[in-house]
Amino acid sequence: MDPSLPIAHSGFVAVHVGAGIHASKNKTRYLDACKRACLAGIEILRRDPLATATSIVEQMIIVLEDDPVANAGTGSNLNLDGYPECDASIMNGTTLGFGSVGAVSDFKNPISIAARILHESDLGPLSLGRIPPLFLVGSGATQWVDTMGYPLKRVHRVPPSLALDNDRKDTQDNSNNNMDQEVIQETLMTKTSIQQFLRFSEMLRKASNANTESSSPPKTYSEAKEGGTGDIRQGHEKLSIHKRKGDQVDDVHLSGPRVAPRLDPELLQDTVGAICVDRLGQVAAGVSSGGIALKFPGRVSEAALFGAGCWAQDPGAVSSGVACSMTGAGEQITKTLLARTLADAFLDQSKSTPIGGKGNKDQEKKSGISPRTIDIEEEAAPTVAEVAASILEGFVKSPLLRHSFGEKHAGFIALKVDPVESVSPRAASEEGAGSSPPIHAEFVFAHTTKTMGVAFMSTRDSKPTAIMSQKKPESDRVVYTRMVRI
């Protein structure tokens, strides 16, 4: 992208690479991926007058899905059977249309299937008045793409051992590019994801062996299926999964109390996402995830579920707009419908306090970035930051999560956009005759996890701002805001 290009079309974009515990050795790779995604979005905004926020969100997430450092698309975590299964969703703030896929393994970019499901659903009923789908899973999503005739990039679904064997044969044909050397060609697997799968599976075996030494092991999944007797689930305490010997994992049993060694925390970051507001003030949001490591086949995360993984709603004449993308513990985010909850809170708050109102005056004068993370407990925070903090507090204390295991993990990026009529005549005139009035918004990201990777950029910026946010040990959350004038 040529920074000298005139900014004929304005907008703002932001992306994240998950909230969790990111490996410090990969910090530069995470942030570089975020920067590239932002630059891709801004380049479209600058060059294409017909580009919509929805199409830009899709393209930014494609950049993140294609980077093996992120747990989405290429490089996704493998499930208990050793296969990647991906979830993705996207929402159009103008139509309030939504499209998503879950547990898909056959396509390079799951977000593109979700975007096409969104597009088709916005077109209205099918023949005979049938309702078009919003959410498709597994082979159903594959069949839908084939039926619709979309030329989306396909990948092979192969066992890890076969993927490694094929990769050894193709090594000499690969370029010297590090990313090409890491990726198992024509699959969503990487050498790292396979090594991680084998390592975690061995940890699982050792943990289950320790728990079953004093009792006879339950039937494996395959034995229960073929024999027709026995139950692979005995109460709440026993579960067994069958693995292929070719993948160096045989029958794995989980018995006794659900207590096991923790997986490497630096490999548990999840979910990528993006939000955008275009030159017309239209917003969109999306999210994509490879899910948790060693998940049960068919498990679907918040990244595919309506109201959980993302939300987008355009501003109206007197109402604010909002776009947000979630990340964290999928089941916890799903139970609390965190995306919809956050959007509702921002919209309710905007009825009494517009952006640029009390609490944001100083920041608006500076027209820039908040110089550091705001510690809500130590100093007065802007209204949007207060709302973000209260959402995280409500999430952690939610009665819906009373019986959830472990800590409560969530993070999000969000953008609150001012109502259209809130732009003053003076501000509009300053933009010049024939120009669209400026769009005022406030960007926020927040998380309860140790780290979260984020980047953002407007068409007024010369380069993206990328941050690997770290929570202080004494704090229970991080909230960061920036005023945006587009």
Side-chain angles (χ1 to χ4, degrees):
M1 180 179 63
D2 184 355
S4 65
L5 284 173
I7 303 177
H9 308 291
S10 58
F12 175 87
V13 299
V15 299
H16 70 77
V17 286
I21 303 179
H22 295 77
S24 55
K25 64 182 179 182
N26 288 331
K27 176 181 176 180
T28 299
R29 290 184 63 193
Y30 289 126
L31 296 184
D32 283 348
C34 288
K35 291 176 184 178
R36 286 188 290 103
C38 283
L39 288 169
I42 291 297
E43 182 173 11
I44 297 172
L45 278 169
R46 284 176 167 160
R47 292 181 181 274
D48 187 355
L50 300 179
T52 64
T54 304
S55 64
I56 292 167
V57 164
E58 178 193 356
Q59 293 304 313
M60 290 192 294
I61 291 181
I62 285 175
V63 172
L64 298 175
E65 287 179 338
D66 287 347
D67 195 313
V69 74
N71 177 29
T74 301
S76 290
N77 285 328
L78 305 186
N79 66 14
L80 274 169
D81 281 340
Y83 295 99
E85 289 186 335
C86 300
D87 310 321
S89 65
I90 188 167
M91 188 165 181
N92 181 327
T94 304
T95 66
L96 299 184
F98 177 83
S100 70
V101 292
V104 295
S105 302
D106 300 331
F107 296 91
K108 182 174 175 64
N109 296 113
I111 191 64
S112 292
I113 314 175
R116 280 146 185 81
I117 292 174
L118 163 62
H119 172 73
E120 294 293 337
S121 68
D122 278 348
L123 294 179
L126 305 172
S127 58
L128 301 180
R130 293 172 297 147
I131 303 297
L134 297 181
F135 175 33
L136 292 168
V137 298
S139 61
T142 301
Q143 182 180 351
W144 183 86
V145 172
D146 292 340
T147 300
M148 302 303 295
Y150 284 117
L152 300 180
K153 173 68 175 176
R154 303 289 281 262
V155 293
H156 299 302
R157 186 178 187 270
V158 296
S161 57
L162 180 59
L164 286 176
D165 288 341
N166 292 341
D167 181 69
R168 293 188 189 102
K169 297 175 184 177
D170 296 339
T171 298
Q172 304 220 350
D173 296 330
N174 290 341
S175 69
N176 291 325
N177 185 285
N178 289 334
M179 186 178 295
D180 288 339
Q181 292 178 354
E182 167 68 7
V183 176
I184 307 298
Q185 297 302 310
E186 304 302 322
T187 76
L188 294 178
M189 297 180 179
T190 63
K191 295 175 183 177
T192 297
S193 68
I194 293 176
Q195 292 166 358
Q196 173 183 314
F197 163 73
L198 297 175
R199 176 186 168 204
F200 286 177
S201 296
E202 184 60 24
M203 291 172 61
L204 186 62
R205 171 189 299 286
K206 291 179 179 178
S208 63
N209 286 343
N211 286 331
T212 57
E213 286 180 352
S214 59
S215 62
S216 60
K219 287 181 177 292
T220 65
Y221 175 80
S222 57
E223 289 171 344
K225 183 177 180 181
E226 294 173 4
T229 60
D231 189 351
I232 62 170
R233 294 284 303 272
Q234 301 183 15
H236 294 287
E237 295 185 347
K238 293 185 177 180
L239 170 67
S240 3
I241 304 297
H242 182 71
K243 313 303 289 183
R244 291 167 300 280
K245 289 186 177 180
D247 293 330
Q248 303 177 24
V249 184
D250 301 318
D251 292 336
V252 178
H253 304 281
L254 287 179
S255 305
R258 290 188 174 184
V259 178
R262 288 181 177 270
L263 301 179
D264 187 344
E266 290 196 340
L267 296 172
L268 297 181
Q269 86 289 340
D270 68 341
T271 309
V272 304
I275 56 177
C276 173
V277 55
D278 62 26
R279 66 188 179 89
L280 299 178
Q282 298 171 337
V283 299
V287 61
S288 181
S289 177
I292 57 176
L294 296 187
K295 64 183 178 181
F296 202 93
R299 181 258 189 183
V300 174
S301 72
E302 89 287 354
L305 302 178
F306 184 76
C310 66
W311 193 266
Q313 193 166 335
D314 280 2
V318 295
S319 61
S320 292
V322 63
C324 59
S325 179
M326 305 291 121
T327 172
E331 281 69 21
Q332 295 173 358
I333 292 174
T334 297
K335 290 185 70 175
T336 55
L337 288 177
L338 194 59
R340 178 64 186 271
T341 301
L342 175 67
D344 284 347
F346 277 164
L347 296 177
D348 287 343
Q349 177 260 357
S350 69
K351 295 176 182 178
S352 57
T353 308
I355 297 172
K358 186 177 180 180
N360 286 332
K361 186 175 181 180
D362 291 339
Q363 277 194 315
E364 189 172 18
K365 284 182 177 179
K366 295 177 183 177
S367 299
I369 186 170
S370 174
R372 60 186 175 86
T373 296
I374 298 171
D375 188 331
I376 301 300
E377 296 179 351
E378 292 184 0
E379 57 185 275
T383 304
V384 167
E386 290 177 343
V387 173
S390 69
I391 288 296
L392 289 184
E393 182 177 2
F395 168 79
V396 170
K397 297 180 179 179
S398 172
L400 295 169
L401 304 182
R402 181 170 42 191
H403 300 297
S404 293
F405 298 100
E407 299 178 357
K408 312 303 186 296
H409 295 302
F412 57 82
I413 56 174
L415 188 70
K416 181 186 173 188
V417 185
D418 258 355
V420 176
E421 289 188 354
S422 67
V423 179
S424 67
R426 177 181 177 183
S429 65
E430 288 176 354
E431 295 297 306
S435 299
S436 299
I439 299 168
H440 292 279
E442 188 163 1
F443 170 66
V444 58
F445 73 80
H447 58 99
T448 65
T449 55
K450 183 177 179 181
T451 61
M452 183 173 179
V454 175
F456 50 90
M457 183 179 184
S458 81
T459 47
R460 294 175 180 267
D461 297 328
S462 60
K463 61 181 180 179
T465 297
I467 300 171
M468 182 59 72
S469 175
Q470 292 189 317
K471 180 170 67 71
K472 297 177 182 179
E474 67 274 14
S475 179
D476 60 357
R477 60 185 177 267
V478 169
V479 178
Y480 178 101
T481 65
R482 174 187 173 172
M483 295 302 300
V484 178
R485 186 171 181 265
I486 302 170

